[in-house]
Amino acid sequence: MKVLIFGSGGREHALAWAVKRSEKVTEVVCAPGNGGIAQIARCVPVDLKSLDSMVQLALAEQPGLIIVGPELPLSLGIVDQLQQHGLRVFGPSRAAAMLETSKGFAKRFLQRHNIPTANYAVCTTDEELQQAVEMFHPPIVVKADGLAAGKGVLICQSRAEALQAAQGLFTGALLGEAERQVVIEEFLEGDEISFLCLSDGKHAAALVPAQDHKRIGEGDTGLNTGGMGVYSTDTLLEPAMTEWILRHIAEPAIRGMAAEETPFVGLLYTGLMMTARGPQVLEFNARFGDPETQAILVRLDSDLVDALDACIDGRLAEIKLKWAQGASACVIASSAGYPGSYKTGHPIGGLSSAARVPGVEVFHSGSALLGNQIVTAGGRVLGVTAWADSLEEALDRAYQAMAEIEFEGMYYRRDIGHRALKKIS
Ligand code: AMP
């Protein structure tokens, strides 16, 4: 079978790597891909902002399975369009992707289906804002309704600050584009967990849990990024808690979407806050997370293509996912200046020595092939991913491999997993 993957980051590199391990797969095509993906798949150009360009490519390639990585094409309805052409695609319809593309929709959906989440108000006017802000005690969380590439959440220390932030979202002063809706939300405290499930529209199959580090600086300080590292261990969630989250959060969400006639087929990513009153949903994403996917897929001992096929055919209940026990970790190497502006085009050295460290895969997030040389091409450049029997060993391996790699201005956090390590010690 030929598999076509849309996207160009570390998530897509890990998906291509996992898909390639399937005995059924004869060829992997990635569009547009990157310098690392080009080592294991055929990369072809595509414009991920143009559904036409994606559909034309899929029709020309005629793959047996298509996987859509990033949220933008999902939000534009790429899955609906590919299906209209009779193609087999893993991912949610435009209507189902609303769980990610509108925070207002997601909050109201959660409330309709009694799924635990922070108290909130969805506001469309200044008047509603004034009233809503009075109902919450600072800190107050202000969220843009639409996709905001991780920049749409503001934690405000006073009501005045919350009002100003929300108005900035309405006018477009904060994100460039004006938001029609803003969510005002209660501030929650606790550990965050990324809980990912496959869904065939009726059933949910949980992947192993992960915890990520979003801030640029060590000790979880500084600006928010797409993610500077992540880890996954059996100890992150007790089996009983995993079961609770499935019964009270993931399954009701899947059933709720089916009942509303917008069944969710694809990967449902739930961002959870583990609070004193139990797990609460912070957000949904309608696709694999990045860099969570890198750390999760290296632990998968089942055939990913079988599982994705079962989702498309509505027979996920037949699939039992197997996982390697132990732990994994992914440490991101980024360009100097990220998440602000940065330079690209620097040669990356040491990739083959890093790959020789046992239990390590180096997934590329932002790289390009220039002649025979791999060069930097993004803010996040590499995701050095390792697995082992314990988190300590997985981190040791990842950092040992990282020490082999070099490029001008390379930066990485040296404290990935620090919260879990503290708990273990
Ligand atoms: P979201 O895109 O909704 O997941 O928000 C991004 C980040 O903002 C989350 O990973 C949390 O760290 C933080 N956040 C979002 N909502 C809340 C909340 N209600 N209380 C505290 N922190 C939050």
Side-chain angles (χ1 to χ4, degrees):
M1 181 200 288
K2 186 201 276 193
V3 180
L4 169 62
I5 301 172
F6 283 116
S8 63
R11 162 184 53 209
E12 287 77 16
H13 194 173
L15 283 166
W17 176 83
V19 155
K20 242 193 125 129
R21 299 168 78 194
S22 166
E23 279 177 8
K24 291 193 192 70
V25 172
T26 49
E27 190 183 10
V28 184
V29 180
C30 191
N34 66 33
I37 300 175
Q39 319 281 310
I40 60 164
R42 176 161 60 85
C43 291
V44 288
V46 79
D47 178 1
L48 294 174
K49 291 192 239 37
S50 154
L51 297 195
D52 237 21
S53 142
M54 295 172 73
V55 169
Q56 289 315 317
L57 175 69
L59 285 173
E61 291 287 347
Q62 287 295 319
L65 169 68
I66 303 172
I67 308 172
V68 183
E71 59 273 31
L72 183 71
L74 292 172
S75 75
L76 299 173
I78 186 62
V79 171
D80 312 57
Q81 291 219 5
L82 292 169
Q83 281 173 346
Q84 277 162 22
H85 286 90
L87 293 159
R88 284 174 64 77
V89 49
F90 175 81
S93 66
R94 182 181 189 161
M98 286 275 285
L99 282 181
E100 172 166 10
T101 54
S102 168
K103 291 223 192 285
F105 171 84
K107 293 298 287 191
R108 288 178 170 135
F109 171 85
L110 288 162
Q111 191 175 28
R112 278 200 295 282
H113 296 281
N114 288 316
I115 301 172
T117 190
N119 290 321
Y120 73 99
V122 181
C123 305
T124 51
T125 64
D126 259 8
E127 217 175 18
E128 285 173 355
L129 261 185
Q130 308 263 3
Q131 282 175 3
V133 163
E134 286 307 314
M135 292 179 347
F136 294 91
H137 291 288
I140 297 173
V141 184
V142 177
K143 296 185 174 181
D145 184 64
L147 292 179
K151 298 194 185 90
V153 176
L154 300 123
I155 315 274
C156 303
Q157 298 307 325
S158 68
R159 292 194 171 99
E161 197 187 315
L163 266 181
Q164 198 183 7
Q167 277 153 356
L169 291 175
F170 274 149
T171 59
L174 278 181
L175 293 179
E177 262 181 65
E179 291 287 319
R180 273 184 292 135
Q181 291 194 133
V182 169
V183 176
I184 305 290
E185 196 172 282
E186 166 199 18
F187 179 78
L188 297 175
E189 276 176 285
D191 270 348
E192 284 185 49
I193 299 276
S194 304
F195 192 86
L196 283 68
C197 285
L198 294 177
S199 171
D200 63 357
K202 296 173 288 196
H203 304 100
L207 311 189
V208 284
Q211 195 163 51
D212 74 342
H213 293 272
K214 286 223 169 60
R215 304 292 195 94
I216 187 73
E218 285 169 15
D220 297 315
T221 54
L223 293 174
N224 253 333
T225 69
M228 292 304 291
V230 65
Y231 53 96
S232 168
T233 73
D234 291 334
T235 49
L236 259 179
L237 283 181
E238 295 290 325
M241 182 54 91
T242 301
E243 202 54 29
W244 194 96
I245 295 168
L246 267 172
R247 297 282 164 268
H248 295 91
I249 293 176
E251 287 171 356
I254 299 299
R255 277 200 305 272
M257 290 302 277
E260 296 187 12
E261 293 179 10
T262 48
F264 188 98
V265 178
L267 188 291
L268 184 63
Y269 170 128
T270 310
L272 293 170
M273 189 74 95
M274 308 301 282
T275 73
R277 62 176 200 254
Q280 306 271 321
V281 176
L282 288 178
E283 65 160 344
F284 286 124
N285 289 328
R287 33 97 199 161
F288 284 96
D290 189 339
E292 287 88 345
T293 303
Q294 290 89 309
I296 289 173
L297 288 184
V298 295
R299 296 189 62 196
L300 180 64
D301 267 347
S302 302
D303 185 319
L304 180 64
V305 172
D306 276 348
L308 304 188
D309 257 339
C311 288
I312 296 173
D313 295 332
R315 43 176 189 79
L316 185 57
E318 291 169 18
I319 299 282
K320 175 114 184 64
L321 295 175
K322 290 202 209 80
W323 299 96
Q325 283 183 348
S328 60
C330 168
V331 183
I332 298 288
S334 65
S335 299
Y338 175 78
S341 58
Y342 51 83
K343 292 206 175 83
T344 57
H346 298 305
I348 306 176
L351 286 168
S352 7
S353 340
R356 280 198 289 272
V357 178
V360 166
E361 279 297 325
V362 180
F363 296 120
H364 293 223
S365 308
S367 77
L369 200 55
L370 207 65
N372 281 332
Q373 176 65 51
I374 303 246
V375 299
T376 64
R380 291 190 295 169
V381 178
L382 303 169
V384 178
T385 309
W387 60 97
D389 291 337
S390 70
L391 181 60
E392 290 96 320
E393 277 174 88
L395 286 163
D396 272 354
R397 286 179 172 180
Y399 282 117
Q400 197 188 326
M402 190 67 101
E404 301 290 332
I405 298 172
E406 53 185 359
F407 58 84
E408 198 181 315
M410 171 171 146
Y411 167 79
Y412 61 93
R413 279 181 58 169
R414 287 153 205 268
D415 66 342
I416 298 306
H418 69 88
R419 275 166 286 169
L421 291 179
K422 217 180 277 163
K423 273 190 195 156
I424 294 167
S425 70

